Amino acid sequence: RMSPSLLHVGRRLSGLLRPALASRLAPASSVLFKAPAQRSFSTTTPSDVTLPAAEPTANPYSPWNLFLRVSGFNSQESKDDRLAMIIHMKCNKQARQPEFCAAYGVAPTYHATFQLAGLHVWMSHVRLRLEDPQRGNHVASELFEHWWHQTMVDMKEEGVHDFLQISSHLKELQNGFRGSAKAYDDALKDDDTIGVLRAALFRNVYFSEEGKQAEAVKLSGYVEQQLVQLMSMKSELFMSPEPGVWAFARPALSSDAGAAQPGLKGKANAGA
């Protein structure tokens, strides 16, 4: 049995937390339980994860801060788990930008979208190599877990529901991604980085389709621009667990999308 002193402490803490939680949950409840026509937000999947942020206060022992501390919300591991989810959402959203089909000639198919998502996951992983190895590896591991889960969800939406079929397809996709990621990594180490990257994109994103070489050139320029942006980003921005701090640049529609950016190889290899 719990001792009377512990029961007293528990009741006291509960009494302190209840008003603070009620005041914070009330605004959300007033929106969530409105009729659909009265809601001020879309019911579709958000572009970024919406999570409560810890508001700084002068009193670290306020009921809200006590709750966040007890729940582990502000632990480093919890922050990094949220960061991995946010990066996954960014990669998933970016891979579905209509410009890739309209301006880069990527086929609007499940496998092409998977390859684009994997390309952005790989670019995020390249950036994570610049961080502390323990944190970077943890975020990368969680990022891959989220991505594979999303891949299984996408399979079911495509009509694949049998567990053995999903497992077989997932293993095939995982092996394919490892090959793609290795090809992209090899491009960063090669003297002809852009040429090798272009060839890897032509094989993996365009599946070596005849007549898509020009689109692969354009996509390699896009990847180069994104990597330069990511590798130049400060750690406190890239590793922030708050949504909306940074985003992938939207794919360009103009002819300068394939313009070369200086310094890609050196920056990317710095974290290899």
Side-chain angles (χ1 to χ4, degrees):
R1 294 179 58 186
M2 188 177 293
S3 66
S5 60
L6 287 177
L7 283 172
H8 175 74
V9 171
R11 292 190 184 112
R12 179 66 175 166
L13 182 58
S14 176
L16 289 171
L17 291 175
R18 191 178 296 113
L21 289 176
S23 64
R24 289 175 179 271
L25 292 176
S29 300
S30 64
V31 174
L32 289 174
F33 293 102
K34 283 182 178 180
Q38 297 176 314
R39 290 177 184 162
S40 59
F41 61 91
S42 171
T43 56
T44 58
T45 304
S47 59
D48 278 315
V49 185
T50 302
L51 295 168
E55 297 179 2
T57 68
N59 180 14
Y61 301 103
S62 66
W64 181 244
N65 281 336
L66 283 173
F67 170 73
L68 292 177
R69 185 179 303 175
V70 170
S71 67
F73 184 83
N74 281 335
S75 69
Q76 190 61 61
E77 183 177 0
S78 179
K79 290 180 179 179
D80 288 345
D81 289 345
R82 299 199 302 274
L83 170 62
M85 170 63 83
I86 289 170
I87 295 177
H88 157 67
M89 296 285 284
K90 293 178 188 296
C91 294
N92 195 45
K93 175 188 175 183
Q94 189 75 356
R96 286 162 172 74
Q97 295 289 357
E99 289 88 344
F100 285 117
C101 296
Y104 292 79
V106 178
T109 64
Y110 170 84
H111 286 91
T113 303
F114 170 83
Q115 289 293 337
L116 280 176
L119 177 62
H120 290 84
V121 168
W122 170 77
M123 286 192 282
S124 301
H125 188 239
V126 171
R127 177 59 183 80
L128 284 167
R129 294 172 190 166
L130 295 183
E131 301 299 327
D132 171 73
Q134 184 174 356
R135 282 194 70 195
N137 290 336
H138 174 75
V139 174
S141 177
E142 291 298 311
L143 170 59
F144 288 129
E145 287 296 322
H146 289 306
W147 184 40
W148 295 127
H149 175 74
Q150 181 65 49
T151 301
M152 288 191 289
V153 172
D154 292 342
M155 282 185 194
K156 292 180 180 179
E157 291 181 354
E158 290 292 314
V160 182
H161 298 286
D162 181 74
F163 176 77
L164 292 179
Q165 278 188 305
I166 291 176
S167 298
S168 176
H169 288 324
L170 188 62
K171 184 176 181 180
E172 181 180 346
L173 290 173
Q174 288 174 336
N175 289 335
F177 171 72
R178 292 190 188 98
S180 300
K182 184 181 184 304
Y184 302 148
D185 278 337
D186 289 344
L188 297 180
K189 302 172 185 176
D190 198 277
D191 291 335
D192 183 17
T193 296
I194 299 302
V196 177
L197 177 62
R198 186 182 305 152
L201 293 171
F202 179 66
R203 291 193 308 272
N204 294 297
V205 178
Y206 297 97
F207 307 102
S208 301
E209 181 182 345
E210 191 62 35
K212 291 291 185 179
Q213 290 86 348
E215 283 81 357
V217 171
K218 191 172 183 180
L219 186 60
S220 67
Y222 163 82
V223 173
E224 187 179 10
Q225 291 174 348
Q226 296 287 4
L227 281 175
V228 169
Q229 172 184 291
L230 289 172
M231 304 309 284
S232 303
M233 196 178 300
K234 293 182 179 179
S235 180
E236 56 265 30
L237 295 180
F238 181 77
M239 298 295 283
S240 172
E242 303 298 336
V245 174
W246 65 271
F248 288 106
R250 197 171 181 96
L253 288 171
S254 60
S255 59
D256 62 351
Q261 295 289 330
L264 168 64
K265 180 178 178 181
K267 289 182 178 181
N269 282 333

